[in-house]
Amino acid sequence: MNGGTTSTVQQVTPELRQWIIAQAQAGHPAQTVLQSMKASGWDEDVATDALENTLRGHLDEQAVANGLSPAVPVPDAPLDESPLRVDAGDRIVDVLMEMHNPRVVVFGNLLSDEECEGLIALAQPRMKRSLTVATKTGGEELNDDRTSNGMFFQRGEAPLIARIEQRLAHLLNWPLENGEGLQVLQYGPGAEYKPHYDYFDPAEPGTPSILRRGGQRVGTVLMYLAEPEKGGGTLFPNVNLEVAPRRGNAVFFSYERPHPSTRTLHGGSPVIEGEKWIATKWLRERRFD
Ligand code: PD2
Ligand code: ZN
């Protein structure tokens, strides 16, 4: 290859970017491209960054050329070196599963049993049949696809809530102010949440008014507060993934554009026996005030 250098600061030139794209188009796996960059003198970290940024930029250019909106920055945990645990500020959280496309991470031990019980106790007196955002108008409506009971907290409304929000902001490197208030949902036997996307559909007439406050949703954290005996997993039908609703665990996923190409279609499968409680945190592009 060309473009190799042994100087202390290695520059990623347009020629190198072109070469990386040509390698990918020729079907060479990223690992092979990385090896040949290293063999010609590139520092491993510089080469890895150049490879990732170039390929991501190229995919984004193609997506935009095909009429999609550009990718925006999204929350994520620092999992580059495949750690088994990550520091969430006030708690060490386990990493149980990581997927890149769609971006899905399952965390263990995000919440203690006491925190799960505390959230349920705060939410219980305020539970009502769940509403969903009415995308036609930007208001809220009852929806047969969602047969749970629910409520919303204000951000920072109680010390327990503020603590969990701060933990999520630390874990996912995303400003606390960009989070919606926590939503708590309760599902009894038969209750489910049919597959949907959490971003707001740009084609719906109510969407511009929703986006004025904080922009698009770009990430979701579903935290399991109480586990049913059977059923109630969170499904990602595009990739045949089902996350078990274990108390204290959470599933995080992100979506860099409001489009099905993110493969973030997901649903809550029916509870078969027992009761499931979850808390959902939706993360926006910008401050959500
Ligand atoms: O309860 C779930 O598993 C679930 C599934 C899909 C919750 C949500 N979506 C949500 O709150 O957006
Ligand atoms: Zn959802």
Side-chain angles (χ1 to χ4, degrees), residues 226-243:
E227 50 192 57
E229 310 312 320
K230 291 183 188 156
T234 303
L235 295 169
F236 292 80
N238 297 147
V239 286
N240 291 327
L241 172 66
E242 176 165 357
V243 179

Side-chain angles (χ1 to χ4, degrees), residues 111 115 119 160-168 182 223:
L111 303 177
E115 288 171 332
L119 276 178
L160 170 61
I161 290 165
R163 185 164 89 218
I164 293 168
E165 289 171 335
Q166 183 56 54
R167 188 178 301 161
L168 293 174
L182 272 182
M223 295 167 274

Side-chain angles (χ1 to χ4, degrees), residues 103-182:
R103 182 56 170 162
V104 180
V105 183
V106 179
F107 294 108
N109 208 24
L110 176 65
L111 303 177
S112 69
D113 288 354
E114 294 70 33
E115 288 171 332
C116 292
E117 282 156 17
L119 276 178
I120 292 175
L122 287 173
Q124 189 119 50
R126 288 156 60 183
M127 298 300 283
K128 294 201 172 68
R129 172 79 193 270
S130 296
L131 302 173
T132 40
V133 173
T135 43
K136 302 266 179 291
T137 61
E140 287 192 316
E141 63 188 3
L142 267 181
N143 185 336
D144 282 343
D145 287 349
R146 194 179 191 190
T147 48
S148 53
N149 294 319
M151 58 78 65
F152 273 97
F153 287 113
Q154 295 289 320
R155 212 171 47 218
E157 147 173 357
L160 170 61
I161 290 165
R163 185 164 89 218
I164 293 168
E165 289 171 335
Q166 183 56 54
R167 188 178 301 161
L168 293 174
H170 194 295
L171 177 67
L172 299 170
N173 192 23
W174 203 249
L176 187 140
E177 301 75 32
N178 295 23
E180 296 182 30
L182 272 182

Side-chain angles (χ1 to χ4, degrees), residues 187 191-193 222 224 228 230-236 241-246 251 266-272 276 278:
Y187 304 73
E192 66 180 317
Y193 195 171
L222 300 179
Y224 304 107
K230 291 183 188 156
T234 303
L235 295 169
F236 292 80
L241 172 66
E242 176 165 357
V243 179
R246 285 300 302 261
V251 56
H266 65 287
S269 62
V271 168
I272 296 171
K276 168 188 171 191
I278 65 159

